[in-house]
Amino acid sequence: MHWGRHHRGSVELHRQQRGSRSHLKLTRLDSPELHMTHAGLAPTWLQVDHSPSAASLSNIAPSDTRIHRLAGGLRTLGVRPGDLVSWQLPNSTEAALLLWACWQLGATAVPLHHRASAQEVDVMLAAIPDAFSITASETQHMIRTESALLEVVPPPYGIALILHTSGSSGSPKAVIHTHDSLYFKAQSMAQVHALGAEDVVLMPAPMAHISGILNGVTLVAAAGMRSVLMNRWDPERALALISAERVSFMVGPPTFFLSLLQTSGFTSEKVRSLRLISAGGTGVSPAFCEEISQRFSAVVKRSYGSTEAPTVTTSWAGDPSECMHATDGRATPGTQLRLSETGELQLRGDGLFAGYTDATLTAQSITADDWFCTGDLAQITDGWITVTGRTSSMIIRGGENISPTQVESILTAHPDVLQAVVVGLKDARLGQRVAAALTTRNGLPFGLEDCHRWCAEQGLSRFKWPEVIHQVEAIPLLGSGKADLVAVRELLEQSSGASSQTS
């Protein structure tokens, strides 16, 4: 086997440094009943789409013997409870089997994004202790040749998973989740979404992302439903799968659903099985929700969460549609919300992460009274939350604070604009100026004059108007589906010298 330079290790959450924090005391998770597989959370029907052929779907059934053989193979190789096992695979049968095999063995799964470069992987692995590194071919070999491990081993300190943040505005952080947090979140979201055995989810997000894990694997197991995993996003293929597999639930950023609408073969008949769409990330405006709801004839709602705090707010089944479209929902079970004096959203409760592998980062992100600082600005009205921007992304122009989210919402309300991402560019006189990258319907032109005319009609304060507009075919995205703010800023900086696009 090829282990590279990352061989083995375990995570203990820096208990010496953070032992006084109640949410980081993991010794209580040693009890077997809190381990997901002990608690009855096991693979349900997973289907992995490997190619454009409809016959390419491969199944992973409940109690799949390949999981037991793979767990036995990992143990033969020396993997022990608490050890870290990493892999860099797209959504695939091997990736899904590795996840459940690690959990059966009591090991910690560390899936890495399949599109990450070698340099990015080095950065990610530097943030965690040494780990076993497994390839797809090695996984297949163990499944064919190893004896099955039938017992389920509780993991030390209850650690199930390490994921890396997308790094949309900085370096990735290694985020620790326990069996307890994943199990609680899966069970509670099945309740909130009102999902059951008759439902089918289509999941293009990779299993190196919290949405791929939660909405494509653990939530599916909790609800007893079926999951269809795509190894890459292809709107034409997705449209065919929705129709053929009777997909009823989808979750993701706006780009998924906008690209489906733009597919030449799109008809309402082909998506009539879809009954619930949960959208999060940049560009989820009331206008987007209303259009998608009408075109798909489905319930569309906004959701808010992160790698550290997956889906902590959303609308519940039966909530008013106007709240689903205009806000990011209300707290999910076990989640507490509050705003700091500066308007930053802070969280605590069940289903959140246990900390970062870097104890210093953990200490910086948790308040003295155990609240997680999200770095997001928000408003809370009668329990309904609306995220208004990032504390770090706030644009300060001539001493005035400008929320990128507010400007994005105004732009995407224009009938010709599909998506918009707003950032601040450095300005020698004002400190920063407002810049926007955007996409339009069918590539219709939308220049600076159009933008200013629209902003005036919408009553947006003049100092908030974008001073740089750059129209693109597609917004640069990270693997998670979030806007790549670094790439967007680079595009806008490059275009800011063009006189036809700046004021």
Side-chain angles (χ1 to χ4, degrees):
M1 291 293 170
H2 169 67
W3 304 113
R5 61 186 180 82
H6 306 283
H7 48 96
R8 66 177 296 180
S10 59
V11 177
E12 297 186 1
L13 288 184
H14 304 281
R15 295 188 311 285
Q16 297 87 348
Q17 295 93 328
R18 302 290 295 175
S20 62
R21 302 291 192 202
S22 61
H23 72 295
L24 294 181
K25 290 181 180 177
L26 300 183
T27 51
R28 64 188 176 89
L29 298 176
D30 288 340
S31 55
E33 64 270 19
L34 291 178
H35 185 206
M36 282 192 291
T37 48
H38 277 291
L41 199 63
T44 186
W45 285 103
L46 298 178
Q47 293 180 284
V48 185
D49 182 46
H50 294 287
S51 76
S53 168
S56 66
L57 289 172
S58 61
N59 295 329
I60 300 175
S63 302
D64 197 306
T65 57
R66 291 174 295 178
I67 295 173
H68 307 316
R69 290 198 295 271
L70 185 51
L74 291 173
R75 185 166 68 173
T76 299
L77 291 171
V79 178
R80 296 294 179 262
D83 284 351
L84 276 61
V85 179
S86 72
W87 58 88
Q88 188 181 12
L89 300 171
N91 283 352
S92 60
T93 303
E94 292 79 16
L97 293 172
L98 274 168
L99 190 66
W100 286 106
C102 282
W103 291 343
Q104 180 179 347
L105 187 58
T108 300
V110 190
L112 306 177
H113 200 290
H114 65 286
R115 292 170 59 189
S117 67
Q119 293 86 348
E120 290 169 331
V121 169
D122 284 342
V123 171
M124 286 188 247
L125 290 176
I128 61 174
D130 289 344
F132 288 92
S133 181
I134 306 293
T135 67
S137 60
E138 291 163 353
T139 301
Q140 294 164 0
H141 177 76
M142 285 186 280
I143 290 171
R144 289 194 306 266
T145 62
E146 294 294 335
S147 300
L149 173 67
L150 299 179
E151 63 178 311
V152 177
V153 185
Y157 313 110
I159 301 169
L161 183 69
I162 294 178
L163 294 176
H164 292 82
T165 61
S166 60
S168 58
S169 56
S171 298
K173 303 172 184 176
V175 177
I176 300 168
H177 277 284
T178 65
H179 284 273
D180 193 21
S181 67
L182 294 178
Y183 178 77
F184 180 87
K185 181 58 64 175
Q187 294 282 4
S188 62
M189 293 315 300
Q191 171 192 351
V192 169
H193 293 319
L195 296 171
E198 71 283 1
D199 285 297
V200 180
V201 63
L202 179 66
M203 177 46 60
M207 283 185 280
H209 184 260
I210 189 62
S211 183
I213 295 288
L214 171 60
N215 297 299
V217 180
T218 58
L219 166 61
V220 170
M225 56 191 281
R226 189 161 56 91
S227 175
V228 179
L229 304 172
M230 297 185 73
N231 58 8
R232 63 183 179 88
W233 176 247
D234 177 340
E236 292 186 359
R237 177 61 179 152
L239 190 61
L241 286 170
I242 291 169
S243 178
E245 301 300 325
R246 311 300 298 161
V247 171
S248 60
F249 174 52
M250 283 188 69
V251 56
T255 184
F256 287 170
F257 309 104
L258 293 172
S259 61
L260 282 171
L261 281 181
Q262 295 171 328
T263 300
S264 59
F266 178 87
T267 64
S268 57
E269 176 66 19
K270 290 183 179 179
V271 295
R272 65 190 178 99
S273 61
L274 265 174
R275 66 175 184 85
L276 177 62
I277 294 173
S278 178
T282 303
V284 187
S285 63
F288 163 82
C289 292
E290 289 165 11
E291 178 179 11
I292 298 301
S293 178
Q294 292 173 3
R295 298 292 299 276
F296 284 75
S297 298
V299 173
V300 177
K301 62 179 182 176
R302 291 160 55 171
S303 298
Y304 166 75
S306 64
T307 306
E308 297 91 336
T311 317
V312 285
T313 71
T314 192
S315 301
W316 294 38
D319 281 341
S321 59
E322 57 268 26
C323 294
M324 292 184 176
H325 296 176
T327 78
D328 294 300
R330 51 196 178 99
T332 54
T335 302
Q336 300 177 55
L337 313 173
R338 77 177 185 186
L339 299 179
S340 71
E341 292 181 355
T342 61
E344 180 186 19
L345 178 63
Q346 297 179 347
L347 310 167
R348 71 178 180 187
D350 300 312
L352 273 64
F353 77 133
Y356 300 108
T357 59
D358 185 328
T360 301
L361 291 176
T362 303
Q364 292 171 350
S365 69
I366 306 295
T367 66
D369 54 347
D370 278 345
W371 290 79
F372 169 56
C373 302
T374 64
D376 289 315
L377 299 171
Q379 299 172 346
I380 302 176
T381 304
D382 297 329
W384 296 93
I385 182 173
T386 303
V387 176
T388 58
R390 292 284 295 172
T391 56
S392 58
S393 66
M394 182 68 71
I395 300 169
I396 304 177
R397 181 188 185 277
E400 297 282 0
N401 289 348
I402 301 170
S403 165
T405 304
Q406 181 190 17
V407 182
E408 290 166 356
S409 179
I410 293 291
L411 293 176
T412 55
H414 190 282
D416 293 340
V417 177
L418 288 174
Q419 293 174 281
V421 177
V422 173
V423 300
L425 299 184
K426 291 182 180 179
D427 185 271
R429 183 173 64 89
L430 297 169
Q432 285 183 304
R433 55 181 170 157
V434 182
L438 52 84
T439 64
T440 63
R441 298 180 193 281
N442 303 315
L444 292 172
F446 188 84
L448 204 61
E449 291 185 6
D450 302 304
C451 174
H452 289 177
R453 188 181 307 112
W454 178 251
C455 289
E457 291 176 7
Q458 298 302 302
L460 186 67
S461 299
R462 176 66 181 84
F463 69 87
K464 298 179 181 180
W465 293 5
E467 297 170 76
V468 177
I469 288 288
H470 184 59
Q471 192 169 330
V472 296
E473 291 185 3
I475 297 294
L477 300 176
L478 297 162
S480 63
K482 295 181 181 179
D484 186 338
L485 298 183
V486 174
V488 168
R489 185 172 282 106
E490 289 177 351
L491 282 174
L492 289 166
E493 287 173 345
Q494 292 170 7
S495 68
S496 62
S499 59
S500 62
Q501 295 296 309
T502 63
S503 63

